[in-house]
Amino acid sequence: MPLLTNPILPGFNPDPSICRVGEDYYIATSTFEWFPGVQIHHSKDLANWELVTRPLTRKSQLDMRGDPDSCGVWAPCLSHADGQFWLIYTDVKRKDGSFKDAHNYLVTAPSIEGPWSDPIYMNSSGFDPSLFHDDDGRKWFVNMLWDHRVRPLLFAGIALQEYDHDQKKLVGPIKNIYQGTDLKLVEGPHLYKRAGKDGKPWYYLMTAEGGTGYDHAVTFARSHTIDGPYETHPESYVVTAKDKPLNPLQRAGHGDWVETSDGRTYIVHLTGRPTTQKRRCVLGRETAIQEAEWRDDDWLWLKHGTNVPALHVDVPGTRDEDAYWAEKRYDFASGTLDMDFQWLRTPETERIFELEGGKLRLFGRESIGSWFEQALVARRQTHFSYDAETEVDFSPVDERQMAGLTAYYSRYNFFYLAVTAHSDGQRELLLMSSEISFPDGKLRFPAEPVPIPNNNPVRLALTIRGPRLQFYYALEGEHLKPIGPVLDASVLSDECGGHAEHGSFTGAFVGMAANDLNGTAQPADFSYFTYRPVRDPSDRYEM
């Protein structure tokens, strides 16, 4: 049987939390400022995964308007107990500077499809919360502690407190149970319980350390009592690539583990695949899987013999490669937006889009890059090379109205080919970019504007081949022709997201946008959207 090639969730799918219910596996991953919140994938065989829900769909559950880039939903924890699913998540309102404003919540549902409850507020002392269901019926909440004083550590340790579901609140004392290793920045805690070889139960604590950059690691510790003291794994880190800079899977950390019904053990973890020319993870932070084993010392180890993540892993199933490489054409005829798409921050979707007459209508709102309300509907880049195309019908009156095709990472990193108008009302195509513009935030114009007729739809397209991005356009009855120079697509990455190595957390998207800086919500109609993966010999990591 062929081995599976990592990752199992390509593209922006970080901070995996996995649980098994019977023969069904579910992974929840972070969505940050993209709405709806939290991605949940389902699998029967650990090889083939389908996105089945994003449970945070209502304003009562999540409103991220004003959340800066790479804030919003961090590190969800998904579990199943007492006949229902439990989902813990953070909504981060501020991350830069000395303070973190991170609010932790719980929602529940009888099935993975929902209905998901309104949230129960838990605490705000730190992020990466997790809920553990002990076999005596008690429930325990853990999260990392943030200390703005840095006394002695900014990441001050893992806090443990009991959760009372009858009272719907945390109760009892708070205890700092683990401060991590010399790698520091301990976060991402998950608690487990498992009988040792002598029958005496161990509590295990899996955490992330080293930040989410190239020193990232999965740390493992254990104790005979839930509140510690916890001893660290003999190798400290059960998964890390920090000392192997040429390993194809880098940034490995933030893990969770699951046992199959036949007793095999797997760790899922965050990873990134940097390009060879520049150390940039253009697909963001992805989810990979490793087979592990419990040894006679009651510790968990990767089965292949080192703690370095393997590119190829033996799992029960075999991936459907045809599905991975299939073209996706979205025609908007169903009246429901395909689940591949997300938008930014706002739960009030009716203000930014509607599906009408087989078209996606975007209502121009704030500027592209706004942290509050912008009409940008996009899907993840999940391949190193691809083609994207759409057709837009838009009648701008001046330069403050625009709509078109964007390759987008954040307010400081995007490329945007828009139908707009000059101040005299004459329509034109304008190519804009904001790549690596932090901190000045200034817009760049890589090409001269192209005047176009004031009526009829315009086809817009782009191709990405590894680091090379080229835009195209076509008027009615014409073939696509290039506009502007070849651009550097590799800047649409965490490493160029406008922050230091540990500060940008999402991934590259491609999609449709409309903006109206006059405040009149000028609509733009998109008749289709196509995403076509391309096998490019220059790509190092394609499956």
Side-chain angles (χ1 to χ4, degrees), residues 324-326 383-388 462-466 531-537 539 542:
Y324 175 74
W325 289 104
H383 303 75
F384 287 96
S385 297
Y386 71 92
D387 301 335
L462 66 80
T463 62
I464 285 183
R465 299 293 184 270
Y531 178 92
R532 183 184 307 109
V534 173
R535 296 176 188 261
D536 188 333
D539 294 338
E542 288 291 17

Side-chain angles (χ1 to χ4, degrees), residues 52 73 151 177 193 438 503 534:
V52 291
V73 176
R151 197 165 70 203
I177 60 171
K193 191 176 186 179
F438 184 83
V534 173

Side-chain angles (χ1 to χ4, degrees), residues 125-177:
S125 58
F127 48 86
D128 291 4
S130 180
L131 189 65
F132 168 65
H133 310 270
D134 209 341
D135 52 20
D136 62 1
R138 299 174 76 181
K139 300 183 186 301
W140 297 90
F141 186 85
V142 287
N143 63 271
M144 67 78 66
L145 282 171
W146 182 264
D147 189 342
H148 57 276
R149 308 165 308 164
V150 197
R151 197 165 70 203
L153 296 167
L154 193 63
F155 288 63
I158 303 302
L160 173 76
Q161 190 175 13
E162 188 170 2
Y163 171 68
D164 187 321
H165 195 52
D166 291 333
Q167 300 185 60
K168 293 183 170 47
K169 67 177 185 179
L170 298 173
V171 298
I174 303 169
K175 184 173 182 181
N176 190 331
I177 60 171

Side-chain angles (χ1 to χ4, degrees), residues 3 82 105 119 127 131-132 158 178-179 183 234 259 288 305 322 390 420 464 515:
L3 299 178
D82 308 328
Y105 301 95
F127 48 86
L131 189 65
F132 168 65
I158 303 302
Y178 188 65
Q179 289 73 53
L183 196 54
E259 289 188 346
D322 290 339
T390 189
T420 183
I464 285 183
N515 317 96

Side-chain angles (χ1 to χ4, degrees), residues 104-116:
N104 298 317
Y105 301 95
L106 164 68
V107 292
T108 60
S111 72
I112 203 69
E113 293 83 10
W116 288 88

Side-chain angles (χ1 to χ4, degrees), residues 2-39:
L3 299 178
L4 176 138
T5 302
N6 272 309
I8 53 172
L9 300 180
F12 163 41
N13 279 289
D15 311 323
S17 170
I18 189 168
C19 75
R20 178 175 66 86
V21 183
E23 296 300 316
D24 296 289
Y25 300 91
Y26 300 96
I27 290 179
T29 53
S30 301
T31 43
F32 295 87
E33 67 264 34
W34 291 89
F35 197 94
V38 180
Q39 296 219 119

